[in-house]
Each structure stands twice: as C-alpha cells, then as structure tokens.
Amino acid sequence: MYRTTISEFKLIGLKLDKKTTNEGGQSSIDCGNLWQKFETENFVEIIPNKLGEEIYSVYFDYEGDDTKPFSYFIGCKVAIDTEIPNGMDSLLIPSDNYFKVTAKGKMTGCITDAWKRIWSSEINRTYKYDFEVYDERSKDWSNAEMDIFISTT
C-alpha cells in the first residue's frame, strides 16, 4: 500500500441503475450483473476516444461508510471532451489523494481478500471515489494482478 495523488479523469461506460449495498452480498449480485452486461454487450470495444484498454470499476456516492449504500460504475478512461454515446453514462473522477492497494492471485478471490484488508486497515478513508483498475495483468484469472485506489485525506 502506498499513497498517491491522481489527477481528474473522465470515464464512459455503465452505471448501476440504483444504489447497492454490501449487506447480504447484494453488491456482489448487482455489480456482477453490471459486469455481465458490460462484457456481453462488448462495451469496451464501443466506448469512443479511449485513452487505454484498462477497465475501471468505481464505488462512489457513498451514504456513509462501506456498510451503507453506494453507487457503482464500470467504464474506460476517455478524453475529457468525449461526448457520451446513447445508452452509456459518464463519470468524472476528481483529482484527489488515494491509497493504492494491489491485489494478486486467483480471481475473484484476490479482489475480495484485498477489500477485506482495506476494510480492516487504518486507511483514513473519505468515501468519495474508490476504484479498481483492470489491465493486462488481470487477464489470467488463475494468476491475476490489479490495483485498487482508495480515496483518502
């Protein structure tokens, strides 16, 4: 884990149509369904003006801490002036301070383990925008690596 500052960037993709919660495993169902739609409808290929092939999943608009409802978004980084295609959403991630946590191992268990470490850590979370970044390192699900950025003071 280490602290970093990230400049503002724009994403285009899909937003969950309602808030979800970690209670009772609901977020796993809701977020999993959104991932299914994102992948089966091949959104990564149709998002315009992508600045890379990375996929971002974002947790934001928290109603409190990680036990309270939050919004969820999946998309790709695009040029800031990119227009939003019909049927898609956009999300602007503001400049902020983040703790970077790297998850390594078998998917999706390594992600779950990383979040458990985050939840039990001493990170002074702000619950603004937290996001996961999936890139080339995460393609081999038997030996994956991906980064999680946690908004902090």
Side-chain angles (χ1 to χ4, degrees), residues 5-147:
T5 300
I6 296 178
S7 298
E8 175 182 88
F9 62 93
K10 181 177 180 177
L11 300 172
I12 288 182
L14 297 177
K15 180 182 173 192
L16 198 60
D17 61 358
K18 61 181 179 177
K19 287 194 173 184
T20 189
T21 177
N22 288 322
E23 191 172 310
Q26 188 61 49
S27 65
S28 293
I29 296 165
D30 293 339
C31 299
N33 288 339
L34 193 64
W35 269 105
Q36 186 85 14
K37 178 179 175 68
F38 188 83
E39 291 179 351
T40 58
E41 296 182 26
N42 209 18
F43 277 89
V44 75
E45 296 301 322
I46 57 177
I47 293 171
N49 300 326
K50 286 191 309 254
L51 298 177
E53 294 301 313
E54 298 86 1
I55 299 172
Y56 292 73
S57 65
V58 186
Y59 307 82
F60 65 105
D61 197 19
Y62 289 92
E63 291 183 9
D65 62 18
D66 52 76
T67 65
K68 304 293 183 213
F70 58 89
S71 296
Y72 186 72
F73 183 95
I74 302 170
C76 296
K77 190 186 286 191
V78 297
I80 204 81
D81 61 348
T82 302
E83 291 192 28
I84 307 160
N86 288 337
M88 290 192 211
D89 301 290
S90 74
L91 187 64
L92 191 64
I93 308 297
S95 296
D96 211 342
N97 296 315
Y98 294 89
F99 263 104
K100 179 181 174 184
V101 178
T102 301
K104 295 181 183 181
K106 188 173 180 177
M107 289 284 240
T108 58
C110 67
I111 299 168
T112 303
D113 292 344
W115 277 105
K116 286 178 182 175
R117 286 195 318 270
I118 291 164
W119 293 330
S120 65
S121 74
E122 297 297 319
I123 296 173
N124 189 15
R125 296 180 65 187
T126 58
Y127 296 97
K128 293 179 186 174
Y129 293 85
D130 301 324
F131 56 92
E132 301 164 350
V133 182
Y134 298 87
D135 57 23
E136 283 298 316
R137 301 169 301 148
S138 59
K139 295 207 183 287
D140 177 3
W141 276 41
S142 64
N143 185 25
E145 185 173 329
M146 47 81 62
D147 298 318

